[in-house]
Amino acid sequence: MAEHHPLRTPDQDPSTAAYARLNAAAERRAKDCRSVAMPSLRHLRMRDYDVVYEPSDDTYLLIDAIGAELDAMQENCNIEEGGIKPSDVRTTLEIGCGTGTPTVYLAMRLRESTRQEGERPSIDANKDGVESSSMHYVTDINADAIRIAQSTAEENGIPASDFRAHQCDLASDLLDPLEGKVDVLIFNPPYVPTPDEEVGSSGIEASWAGGKDGRVVLDRALPQIARLLAYPRGAAYVVTVDDNYPEQIAKEMEERYGIEVVPWFRRRARNEFLTILKMTPTRAFSGE
């Protein structure tokens, strides 16, 4: 999540022609696919945005990417590979949910897909005995974000039984119960390079202060993402900027965890290049 910072410097350019081609393909995907309709945020007031991150260009690119993946299965959108198959999605998780907009959008699309396809979804009882075809988890360290995300789900017709909000650091409270079970993981981290001492508050500033290279929080989350993703069909969608050295992230995730990382959607937004990295496991998680 971003405030203001400059465009990339030469050392942030792709180190290989292959990665530059991946960036170019990600830009084409973002350009060719339709912009999706945002969930309703009519329930929020200006004072809410004093305590939680207001959806912006990074949010829009993120839900465009998720929408295009769903469209790839339903409408033959111009996506070369992959796509979220709605009937395969049982568990989703958004780390650092803010208003909850991306997860609520995904939940709405999954419910719509089930109705359109006339499918009878596989039904599992949650721990409260309420039946649901998929469960959507969100986390945030900010208590106001938890409250607001729950209200966003309610505003858009997502049953409380399908939407679980946890106030915690990253996904710390969910690592054990959700290990290897998350089909779609969403993360729009604090990616703006700042002094490290600005990282880690429990207020709205936690939504953008990323420390050195904007990577302090993201680097802590990467092992959790690897642990949580379902194999073989799980996918994570993570927002980065070029300041974060996404090519380096891709190399590290492949070497440490067997997670394939590619730039999936990419777009210039004012003073920055935003990229949605798509992360998919090539093997079951086995630790560091």
Side-chain angles (χ1 to χ4, degrees), residues 1 50-53 96 139-145 167-170 189-190 194-211 216-217 220:
M1 301 181 181
D50 291 334
V51 295
V52 74
Y53 182 76
T139 72
D140 208 294
I141 200 167
N142 180 351
D144 289 302
Q167 184 183 0
C168 62
D169 179 30
L170 299 176
T194 65
D196 285 355
E197 56 267 23
E198 294 183 15
V199 177
S201 81
S202 59
I204 188 173
E205 58 275 6
S207 67
W208 67 73
V216 170
V217 177
R220 291 179 53 236

Side-chain angles (χ1 to χ4, degrees), residues 13-36:
D13 288 335
S15 66
T16 65
Y19 201 85
R21 288 193 294 270
L22 291 174
N23 271 348
E27 290 182 26
R28 288 194 299 272
R29 291 190 193 99
K31 180 180 179 181
D32 291 346
C33 284
R34 65 186 177 91
S35 294
V36 304

Side-chain angles (χ1 to χ4, degrees), residues 58-132:
D58 46 4
T59 317
Y60 309 145
L61 184 63
L62 182 54
I63 65 172
D64 280 352
I66 294 168
E69 290 277 71
L70 290 162
D71 290 344
M73 301 302 298
Q74 297 174 311
E75 301 173 7
N76 247 346
C77 187
N78 185 26
I79 299 283
E80 289 91 337
E81 58 182 282
I84 301 170
K85 188 175 181 181
S87 59
D88 287 341
V89 177
R90 293 290 175 267
T91 303
T92 78
L93 168 64
E94 182 176 2
I95 300 173
C97 61
T99 62
T101 299
T103 289
V104 170
Y105 170 77
L106 175 59
M108 292 169 66
R109 284 293 306 269
L110 292 175
R111 288 164 63 86
E112 175 189 353
S113 297
T114 298
R115 289 195 298 267
Q116 288 179 346
E117 295 169 9
E119 294 179 352
R120 188 176 187 274
S122 299
I123 301 296
D124 299 307
N126 64 29
K127 68 179 182 179
D128 295 323
V130 179
E131 292 188 328
S132 173

